[in-house]
Amino acid sequence: MAGTRNTIQRDLVLQAVMDLRNHPTPDEVYMHIRKKHPTISKGTVYRNLKILVDNGLLGKVEVPDSANRVDHILHPHYHIECRVCGGVFDMDMPDLSEEIKKHIRNSNGFDIEKHDLIFSGVCPECKEKRRKLKGELI
C-alpha cells in the first residue's frame, strides 16, 4: 500500500473479510468486528474497506439492486447472487474476460477496461428449503 500506513483497524477489517469469506457487505464486516472490538466505529470500518479496495488488497463486488460486497479473492472470477436469500457466491468456471473483451471490441468498437458479471439464480440451500416446503404443503 504505497503511501498508506498500515493500522490496527485496517488489519482488523482485512482479517474480518478473510474470516467471513462470503462476500460480506460493509455492514456485515462492521458487525463481525464489533463482536470483539465494540468501540470501533462504522465510519472507521467503511473508510478502511475503501482504502483496502483502492489499494488492491480487497475486491469490490457491485451487486445490482443490493448492497455492494467485498471479496478476498483478487483474481478474475464471476459471482452468482441467490435471489431468495441474497447470498453472493463464487462461480467455478473459466475466466472469459479476454473472449468477452474481444467480442465487444469486434462488434461495437469499444475497448473494455473492466467488467463485472453477476449471475442470478437460486442457491442449493434455498432450493432444498423450497423443495421441503412444497413437500409439506402437499
Side-chain angles (χ1 to χ4, degrees), residues 87-103:
V88 176
F89 307 90
D90 292 320
M91 287 292 302
D92 183 20
M93 64 180 279
D95 177 20
L96 303 173
S97 297
E98 291 310 313
E99 290 89 346
I100 291 170
K101 289 177 186 178
K102 181 179 176 185
H103 176 78

Side-chain angles (χ1 to χ4, degrees), residues 80-117:
I80 186 164
E81 177 187 28
C82 177
R83 59 182 179 77
V84 177
C85 69
V88 176
F89 307 90
D90 292 320
M91 287 292 302
D92 183 20
M93 64 180 279
D95 177 20
L96 303 173
S97 297
E98 291 310 313
E99 290 89 346
I100 291 170
K101 289 177 186 178
K102 181 179 176 185
H103 176 78
I104 292 173
R105 186 172 40 255
N106 290 342
S107 64
N108 298 57
F110 275 84
D111 287 334
I112 301 300
E113 297 171 351
K114 176 185 180 295
H115 75 276
D116 293 313
L117 182 56

Side-chain angles (χ1 to χ4, degrees), residues 3 20 30 40 52 60 63 88-89 102 118-119:
L20 290 167
Y30 169 66
I40 196 162
L52 290 164
K60 181 178 179 182
V63 182
V88 176
F89 307 90
K102 181 179 176 185
I118 299 178
F119 296 92

